[in-house]
Amino acid sequence: MNQTVEQVNQVIQQRYKAGFYTDIESDRVRAGLDEEIIAMISAKKEEPTWMLEWRLKAFHHWQTMREPNWAHLKVPAIDLQKIHYYAAPKQKNRPKSLDEVDPKLLETFDKLGVPLHERARLAGVAVDAVFDSVSVGTTFQKELKEAGVIFCSFSEAVKDHPELVREYLGSVVPYSDNYFAALNSAVFSDGSFVYIPANTRCPMELSTYFRINARDTGQFERTLIIAEPGAEVSYLEGCTAPMRDENQLHAAVVELVARKKAKIKYSTVQNWYPGDENGKGGIYNFVTKRGDCREDDARISWTQVETGSAITWKYPSCILRGDRSAGEFYSVALTHNHQQADTGTKMIHLGKDTTSKIISKGISAGKSNNSYRGLVRIAKRAANARNYTQCDSLLIGKTCGAHTFPYIESANPTAKVEHEATTSRIGEDQLFYCRTRGLDEEDAVAMIVDGFCKEVFKELPMEFAVEAKALLEISLEGAVG
Amino acid sequence: MLNIKNLHVAVNGKEILKGLDLDVGPGELHALMGPNGSGKSTLGYALAGRDGYEITDGSVAFEGQDLAELEPEERAAAGLFLAFQYPVEIPGVNNAYFLRAALNAQRKARGEEEVDSMTFLKTVRESIKTLKMDEALLKRAVNEGFSGGEKKRNEIVQMAVLQPKLAVLDETDSGLDIDALKLVAEGINGLRDGKRSFIVITHYQRLLDYLTPDRVHVLSDGRIVESGGQELSHRLEAEGYAFLEESAA
């Protein structure tokens, strides 16, 4: 009997390898959401008054708002008063360097394949590791500093670079933007801050790894990336959480600012716990991500591989303000079991000769529902704007759903907008063909899905592409049959 | 090699093969002809193990092993190959990668060592050359955007690389121009080594002119109604299938 339980556990572990929990003492504020809690978070972070004031403004605005209900999602009522808005691993003093960080935390990130130690670090990738509400540490600080790049936790940025934070915070996603962005603005705890000075190409990939650990906690992080004129940066984001029966809320905000001729490439591999095969547990992922091509010839590219979360509500967008600026969105969203995803993008063309490209690949298996929702808006002054959208859905099995909701609004007659959409089922003939050549069913499905996602995977940095591919294979285990 | 006895196969509850007998020995090439709907492709699918092709009676033994007990991939590893009448497209999956994965999956199942990419590429390049195909096809997705003729030739390339013991070729000649037909025939003949066996399903004498089959069978309404040497295919070419009805009557 014990052996059977162990075997079952092993299988589950395999499916969601990041599902473990780190037993570490946590410093947590009481559950609930009110002005006092916000003041407590701000105090814990030793924030300046202007920061607290901004949080409170956001909170007051949020109180006037309602949860959005336009998405193709069934969202159970979330009791926001039951959530702890701040949880941090207990540390006596703020560690000055990674050597002083609690070994338990380092071990956690080791296990997740994100070693922070000097000796084991990922070559060429600087990592900021966020555990519950705080950043644990950031690698390669010295090397980045030499290049003039600032890469640190959001809290540090508020302390050390207040002028930059004040200028740019909320300038892409104002706190009034939407319900979840307002909530995040009021209670955000940490996140990453990136600043690339003018005419600088960031010497390495930057990466943030988000980990939710504590129970009944929400994670509300903020990321702000600023690329000065002529700057270039590639940023990666990874996320996991322990397996729990309760749902947990994750409501992040990401703001990107690309100035003249700057390039930002933002890649995400999202693997939050998706819940079990009966739909119990899992992360509710409500995220606002937006990039602003603020000046001419700027370029922002979003690439996302979404396999996790019980519910995903996420539309990484580009505001193409500068003339000839370009936005791209490459997405693979996979849903299995009872997962629900409503994800897509918004491309807002404001400048002349702006271009955008959207490649979305939705894969649904089990009893899941997968929706693409995309807006392409061409403003009156956006002469010669171009958009190309390709939106493909792949169904595995007969109990899942795929939906496409494209919105196209063009106010300029010179605009060219193309939209292509396909929906296909993994064909019995494709599977049979692969099997007659010697591949077993699972390998065949993995291969067909990988082929389906190729256009998106090739946009990911090498290490992430390999990880993304492996992740899809694991997520699809048991999808056929 | 292959012994089929009184084979009955039903698809969606409808019986298509109604007592088919066929023995193919090592090194033999058998041609299977017959009117549309007589059950030729059904035999190919049933041998390869397609879902929904239910063996309701009779038996199929491949080297003494009961095929019905094996999954399609196990049949492949055991040395059975089916060249599809309509090869399937797999978008985004690199042709060479697919073939190498298939070869190694089979080798692994047989307890053999995997083939490294250098050796693999050498083999596959030779086959491509024999069939006068463009090497660029290796870098394209499996059958995606291939012309009809390229798809058929690609099946022969796969066969050459996978080196099966028995290959069932389902109308590999249909849709080919005369030059491509010759190349496909050369590809098949190049693999005839006295041990490897073939079942060639075709409507036309053309291909058989190049292949010289050991036996020619005529399938009609789910049974083999006539067997003979190459002269039989000549007669079919000249007279059509009409004489079958006479002999049946």
Side-chain angles (χ1 to χ4, degrees), chain A residues 428-430 432-441 443 447-448 450-452 454 469, chain B residues 50 71-73 76 81-82 84 88-89 91-93 97 101-102 105-106 143 155 158:
Chain A
E428 190 262 332
D429 55 343
Q430 282 179 332
F432 177 60
Y433 188 70
C434 292
R435 294 179 76 191
T436 61
R437 298 305 181 250
L439 298 164
D440 68 30
E441 199 158 21
D443 287 348
M447 197 177 270
I448 294 165
D450 184 42
F452 177 75
K454 189 120 291 173
K469 199 179 146 183
Chain B
R50 186 167 198 144
E71 295 291 333
E73 59 272 23
F81 179 85
L82 172 66
F84 280 53
V88 179
E89 297 185 6
V93 176
Y97 173 76
Q106 289 196 16
N143 292 323
E155 296 287 285
Q158 290 183 3

Side-chain angles (χ1 to χ4, degrees), chain A residues 9-137:
Chain A
N9 281 339
Q10 271 174 2
V11 172
I12 293 172
Q13 289 274 322
Q14 218 178 15
R15 284 202 188 155
Y16 192 73
K17 283 187 179 137
F20 64 91
Y21 164 72
T22 308
D23 187 10
I24 193 162
E25 221 182 318
S26 177
D27 171 18
R28 210 160 69 153
V29 298
R30 68 171 164 82
L33 180 57
D34 50 44
E35 285 187 20
E36 194 190 50
I37 287 286
I38 292 165
M40 271 161 76
I41 294 172
S42 190
K44 277 194 185 293
K45 304 197 120 1
E46 300 163 12
E47 285 175 353
T49 327
W50 60 265
M51 192 70 252
L52 175 61
E53 281 168 1
W54 194 78
R55 285 175 181 278
L56 290 172
K57 260 195 272 178
F59 176 66
H60 293 140
H61 189 84
W62 174 79
Q63 287 179 309
T64 67
M65 300 172 97
R66 282 177 170 274
E67 261 183 83
N69 60 1
W70 41 261
H72 189 77
L73 299 169
K74 279 185 199 143
V75 185
I78 307 169
D79 188 346
L80 293 171
Q81 295 303 335
K82 277 200 175 146
I83 294 175
H84 297 266
Y85 287 85
Y86 182 89
K90 244 183 201 161
Q91 289 170 334
K92 284 188 193 86
N93 293 306
R94 190 173 154 206
K96 285 192 186 65
S97 76
L98 279 162
D99 299 332
E100 294 173 27
V101 171
D102 189 330
K104 260 191 196 165
L105 288 173
L106 296 178
E107 205 182 292
T108 302
F109 285 97
D110 263 359
K111 255 169 117 172
L112 293 168
V114 195
L116 303 173
H117 277 301
E118 193 104 27
R119 55 188 156 77
R121 278 175 194 172
L122 303 172
V125 184
V127 179
D128 180 24
V130 177
F131 190 89
D132 289 334
S133 304
V134 293
S135 166
V136 169

Side-chain angles (χ1 to χ4, degrees), chain B residues 154-201:
Chain B
N154 197 34
E155 296 287 285
I156 302 299
V157 170
Q158 290 183 3
M159 176 173 76
V161 171
L162 296 173
Q163 301 266 322
K165 290 178 183 162
L166 170 68
V168 181
L169 310 175
D170 189 1
E171 293 196 25
T172 303
D173 55 340
S174 56
L176 292 184
D177 61 39
I178 193 72
D179 293 329
L181 184 86
K182 277 188 198 164
L183 289 171
V184 163
E186 272 173 41
I188 296 169
N189 283 328
L191 287 168
R192 292 196 70 181
D193 58 359
K195 284 183 254 166
R196 186 171 290 116
S197 313
F198 295 86
I199 297 174
V200 178
I201 298 170

